[in-house]
Amino acid sequence: MRDLFWGSSISPVGSIGNRAHRARVRAPCRCRSRRWRLLTGPYLLPAHLDPVQPRYQASFAVEVDGRRVTAHAGQTVAAVLMSLGLTSWRESGGRGRRRGLFCGIGVCAECVLVVNGTPGVRACLRSVEPGDVISTRGREERG
Amino acid sequence: MSVVVVGAGPAGMTAALNAARAGAEVLLVDSSNALGGKYHQAPPEQFGLAQPQRIRRAQGSFTTLAEEIGAHPRIRRLSGGVRSLDGHDVHVSTGPGDAGETFHADALVLATGAHDRVLPFPGWELPGVFTAGAAHALASGQRIAVGSRVLVAGTGPLLLPVTESLLGVGADVVAVLDAGSPTAWLRRAPDLAGQWDKLAGFAGYLRRLVGNTQFRTRAGVVAAVGEERVKEAVVAKLDARWRPVPGTHRRIPVDAICVAHGLEPRLELARAAGCEIEDGFVRVDGAQRSSTPWVFAAGEATGIAGARAAAAEGAVAGLAAAVHVEATTWREVEKPARRAMLVVRCGQRFGRAMASATRIGEDWNEWLTPQTVVCRCEEVPYQALRDSAPAQRDASSLNLSCRVGLGSCQGRMCGRNASELAENLIRTSAKEPPVA
């Protein structure tokens, strides 16, 4: 990697795993394959690549826009959506621009969405529960 | 004899424990189920971590503290948000809708902490632009990387731990750009000299970042480019007043940008309790008592000085609150309180040095365009502010004329930026009288 302001050798394609991380993860795996190398956007670090070695105690299905996806107990709604690679799940009230998570700690109300029919749920704070129906299509009403 | 502690971060934990040890009945309220706040953020228990010590800072001391709080008979924990404050009655919402409980507080300890401050730049409302705190919370709390190629920008020592947690979940951090200058830290060297643990901590962060990313000072992100989401970041060198240096703009392909320009204390409850606010923080005396006699404040709400100072402030506030509710006497707690006060004073000195070293440049508005959104919730562009600001006499009347800060975040993200911009605009318009 060359200096940012003096010529660039930065490749346009994202890849999972930086040097420090690769050094800590022992066995090579399929995640190094092409699919992961071409990855862009947010992702959930696969458990077998994670230095803290999570062993999810419970996994269950939730529904995201009619699609059944697997979620782990303890994940927030935002984490479930971002593990699917989503960055935005709302349209702003005024100009209808896409919006997603911003502050991540329940301050900004950017990440609100509809869960089980209840609007205005903060995705960054709400933990998923089995059978949750999450909708990312709801357009915010301007109050 | 009841003490309500709001916030279970480093300050709130020590406040609750010290008040309970001194004999008070304590209710510890936090929005999260877990103890530790954002500083000690870790994945939830259900993730079943085999190696949790690789993620949490100061794991040993945190575990002993958390165990003691969990086992203490006089501490009750509640996860929920404080909805309102009505005299000595604290309403806590514990679920969706109107579910909630009301508690009587003889003394209240506010350890509400802080959130990131983010200066607006063109495109900052695009999905893929996060606060650095969000990236940190997702990485260390949920094992989510906000992007595969991430740019970290802003100012302050917070950027380094955020970068480390991003690297820890395998994200490629393209660069870390600090708009501040290293000479500002050097000038403050005498005040920093006593804080060896902090300096060692920063050195450790820097050492771990070498080879994995590049660290630049006096540079920042001036725009984010993309349609539905961030595709590119425009970065530039910044001068001492944070004006982008012409000709140094570079476009970097990224899929996430994490930004933090320092921290902003959370003061809603302090304001609701009628505490006096001085220079953006709750004004407290030596015993962490605010101008409202039964309300105490600790941690980042009283000044940004780091976790160790926050924990010491919490200890002082907890003991003082216990004395206030007459669970104990000052003579009995004087010795531990004085010891904690010493740490508080060191921390405050460090905090002041850090605040002046990471000061925000005066001319950051140079990178704004007329279309740049200043208030994210109400999507107020900078142009609207420019149109209405000169007609106002002071910044506080601004929100009524152009809806800045009236959105769902209640001005928590944009309030300070908007008033700074407005003051700037009012000042310049006073200097140049309008034509005819």
Side-chain angles (χ1 to χ4, degrees), chain A residues 19-38:
Chain A
R19 240 170 64 185
H21 178 247
R22 273 195 285 273
R24 271 186 290 175
V25 178
R26 275 148 289 126
C29 73
R30 279 176 300 143
C31 301
R32 299 285 161 67
S33 72
R34 209 175 158 73
R35 195 170 74 82
W36 280 100
R37 286 208 170 276
L38 292 172

Side-chain angles (χ1 to χ4, degrees), chain A residues 78-93:
Chain A
V80 173
L81 295 174
M82 290 177 87
S83 66
L84 301 174
L86 296 175
T87 50
S88 59
W89 46 82
R90 180 173 80 91
E91 274 174 9
S92 67

